[in-house]
Amino acid sequence: MNNDQYLLAIETSCDETAVAVIKNETELVANVVASQIESHKRFGGVVPEIASRHHIEQITVTLEEALQEAGMTLDDMDAIGVTEGPGLVGALLVGVNAAKGIAFARQKPLVGVHHIAGHIYASRLEKEFEFPLLALVVSGGHTELVLMKGHNDFEVIGETRDDAAGEAYDKVARLLKLSYPGGPEIDKLAAAGEPVIDFPRAWLEEGSFDFSFSGLKSAVTNKLHNAGQKGEEFRPEDVAASFQESVVEVLSTKTKKAAAAYGVKQVIVAGGVAANSGLRARLLETFQETGQELLIPPLKFCTDNAAMIAAAGAVAYRQGHRAGWDLNAHPGLDLEEYGKRGRN
Amino acid sequence: MKITSNSPETTGELAAFLAGKLQPGDVLTLEGDLGAGKTTFTKALGAALGVTKTINSPTFTIIKEYAGDLPFYHMDAYRLEDTEEDLGFEEYFFGSGVTVVEWASYIEDFLPEERLEIRVSYEGEDARSFFFTPRSSHFETICEEITNEYISD
């Protein structure tokens, strides 16, 4: 009798159509991602309707490819997991309906997964979690500090009050006329520049783990505008380096303080901005000093993928979390509420 | 109608006063430059409608939904420029909640005719002007109430 458990997961919350198969919660058997970044470059961002259409075109092919990579069939799966939210409603619906169709046709249990839980659980593909742990989630739509005292036990201890870090990157990239997605472009430029401009850091009230990046975006706009009027010019490399220095300093300092305040054993960095080399380097340095273990997933698991949804979904499945046939897309799904489902 | 605010606190009071007059299905459009105070206004409006979660930028996801005394929908059409997509706006605009739309001109074709247009302009470090243009009798009444009850206070 074979006790191995397999879960197939689907992710379509934004601009990647992805399917993965995981064995026993942490062993990745297949991982396929079809990216739409090329299609969205023209618009400087993801266009929801185009994203939905791409997902519809890609989902079957991606699914077949993943099963082929795993050398398995849908009948070999113990459960089907899918990103339920947050994300773009039209995009989420493609994955949710595909998962429902498969689960119903094969009579498999269905598990809805929170996209951010997925980003955090990407790290568990590399290393077992030790609680309590702290996750810094940074992406285009999120900037949050999440405390975990156990599996699927999420407490948001800090979040952005306005723009997400990734959004600030995208907007500053637009100001510098860089191509989409802006984050990697700024990161590259910053490596060749010096942080000569002192952009503001929003620390907020003493003891707050919240973030604010909208002032920084305005400061960059104003600086470039004023310089332009005086006929001065900054090197784009230096603007990028100065902007990145401000973001990285705030993110790393707040994460360090929160990690100390809650006495966590591990610190996880999750989300697309975790791919940023400046942030990675600073966090490595920071947590080498404190001795807390820092987990940063490999680059391929930082951007959206289904492996992370499979990793989070497999834990939710073990905890008894099941979705009904009425599972719907939840663009505003709350992380803390989601975590409570499986544990009740 | 023009209302001037000299501080984020006054902006908050204005938003709260307005919130008290809103009904399910009301749509407010918000225009103004970067840093004009659209977010400050929206946060205060949402809080007055009973939203307890942090209201932050919907730019990336375009629509964010919040639970309050009434459902509260915060939209940002910034990334929909030059597209003609319908993201199911009607379900929000004619639903049971209050909707605030930023960069509404990008989705002009989808906006309901009955709405309250608000333009925020920067007048100095903390000073802002709010221009209200009511597009229905319901909003005309609200604007009159703001003039009579709020401004005269």
Side-chain angles (χ1 to χ4, degrees):
Chain A
M1 177 85 183
N2 186 347
N3 286 325
D4 287 338
Q5 259 185 357
Y6 293 91
L7 180 134
L8 177 135
I10 301 175
E11 148 71 33
T12 62
S13 69
C14 191
D15 58 355
E16 323 276 9
T17 316
V19 178
V21 176
I22 204 166
K23 178 183 170 187
N24 301 335
E25 297 188 15
T26 54
E27 290 170 56
L28 203 54
V29 185
N31 182 33
V32 180
V33 180
S35 177
Q36 306 180 7
I37 284 183
E38 285 302 319
S39 317
H40 294 289
K41 263 190 175 163
R42 184 158 80 85
F43 299 104
V46 179
V47 180
E49 198 183 64
I50 295 176
S52 308
R53 223 175 303 138
H54 273 280
H55 286 307
I56 292 171
E57 286 166 10
Q58 302 274 8
I59 186 78
T60 317
V61 192
T62 313
L63 182 66
E64 280 171 4
E65 204 180 317
L67 285 170
Q68 207 168 21
E69 197 176 299
M72 303 176 85
T73 70
L74 288 172
D75 290 316
D76 298 323
M77 299 302 134
D78 291 279
I80 309 297
V82 63
T83 307
E84 174 185 344
L88 306 168
V89 68
L92 287 166
L93 277 171
V94 177
V96 165
N97 284 307
K100 271 173 21 173
I102 294 167
F104 187 75
R106 306 292 162 133
Q107 288 298 303
K108 303 285 183 190
L110 182 64
V111 183
V113 182
H114 194 288
H115 183 75
I116 295 305
H119 273 301
I120 295 172
Y121 270 90
S123 278
R124 194 169 174 240
L125 293 167
E126 303 289 311
K127 186 93 200 311
E128 185 54 88
F129 283 177
E130 283 177 53
F131 302 108
L133 65 79
L134 178 72
L136 168 67
V137 183
V138 263
S139 67
H142 294 267
T143 305
E144 285 159 23
L145 279 168
V146 181
L147 178 69
M148 289 181 74
K149 291 181 182 155
H151 280 298
N152 272 340
D153 179 352
F154 305 104
E155 187 189 337
V156 178
I157 59 166
E159 64 189 321
T160 183
R161 292 187 188 167
D162 38 58
D163 300 352
E167 182 181 339
Y169 266 93
D170 270 341
K171 288 199 168 147
V172 170
R174 275 191 177 210
L175 286 173
L176 294 174
K177 302 191 170 57
L178 304 174
S179 66
Y180 171 82
E185 296 290 321
I186 290 192
D187 195 17
K188 251 187 271 170
L189 267 188
E194 290 296 324
V196 293
I197 312 166
D198 189 23
F199 286 128
R201 277 100 170 121
W203 298 114
L204 306 172
E205 321 81 69
E206 180 68 32
S208 169
F209 297 125
D210 280 350
F211 301 95
S212 167
F213 291 107
S214 94
L216 173 59
K217 170 190 72 192
S218 309
V220 176
T221 311
N222 293 338
K223 196 83 190 176
L224 293 180
H225 180 77
N226 293 342
Q229 283 191 329
K230 287 186 215 153
E232 291 170 8
E233 213 173 315
F234 289 110
R235 292 169 60 219
E237 289 85 353
D238 291 342
V239 176
S242 307
F243 164 77
Q244 176 144 311
E245 177 60 28
S246 168
V247 175
V248 166
E249 188 184 332
V250 171
L251 289 176
S252 59
T253 306
K254 292 230 174 200
T255 306
K256 182 184 176 183
K257 283 188 179 171
Y262 290 91
V264 301
K265 296 191 175 116
Q266 291 176 326
V267 175
I268 288 175
V269 191
V273 183
N276 184 284
S277 66
L279 180 62
R280 284 177 173 245
R282 184 69 54 87
L283 288 169
L284 276 171
E285 205 178 291
T286 304
F287 290 102
Q288 226 155 28
E289 284 168 20
T290 72
Q292 284 157 312
E293 186 178 25
L294 179 70
L295 305 181
I296 309 183
L299 292 180
K300 63 176 176 178
F301 296 141
C302 289
T303 47
D304 291 351
N305 63 83
M308 66 184 204
I309 300 303
V315 174
Y317 174 65
R318 165 163 55 84
Q319 290 182 330
H321 165 186
R322 300 285 181 277
W325 301 127
D326 58 350
L327 177 68
N328 204 348
H330 289 126
L333 187 62
D334 184 89
L335 182 62
E336 294 179 355
E337 295 300 319
Y338 159 82
K340 282 174 194 159
R341 284 179 188 171
R343 291 181 292 124
N344 283 339
Chain B
M1 182 179 75
K2 176 182 168 181
I3 297 169
T4 307
S5 160
N6 290 312
S7 69
E9 290 72 33
T10 317
T11 299
E13 286 166 20
L14 172 65
F17 185 87
L18 173 63
K21 306 285 177 191
L22 295 176
Q23 294 171 0
D26 279 356
V27 175
L28 279 57
T29 64
L30 205 48
E31 302 276 350
D33 293 334
L34 214 66
K38 299 191 291 287
T39 307
T40 306
F41 184 83
T42 307
K43 277 173 179 279
L45 188 83
L49 288 170
V51 175
T52 51
K53 293 264 168 193
T54 302
I55 294 172
N56 50 28
S57 170
T59 303
F60 190 79
T61 47
I62 300 170
I63 301 170
K64 280 197 173 172
E65 304 181 23
Y66 300 91
D69 302 328
L70 290 176
F72 181 61
Y73 309 123
H74 186 194
M75 292 187 191
D76 184 342
Y78 180 70
R79 299 199 296 113
L80 300 180
E81 190 180 7
D82 300 329
T83 65
E84 285 178 14
E85 34 181 338
D86 184 357
L87 301 179
F89 295 117
E90 284 197 353
E91 290 194 30
Y92 295 96
F93 297 152
F94 299 99
S96 55
V98 168
T99 309
V100 168
V101 191
E102 299 190 27
W103 297 91
S105 57
Y106 291 169
I107 53 166
E108 182 76 41
D109 293 349
F110 300 106
L111 294 174
E113 282 178 22
E114 301 197 349
R115 58 188 194 245
L116 177 60
E117 295 178 354
I118 304 172
R119 191 161 56 78
V120 193
S121 75
Y122 183 92
E123 307 284 348
E125 188 130 339
D126 284 322
R128 301 288 185 274
S129 286
F130 291 84
F131 298 88
F132 288 69
T133 312
R135 298 285 183 205
S136 74
S137 57
H138 164 57
F139 288 117
E140 277 167 18
T141 310
I142 290 182
C143 285
E144 280 165 24
E145 286 171 343
I146 293 176
T147 310
N148 297 335
E149 300 168 33
Y150 179 79
I151 300 182
S152 59
D153 276 354

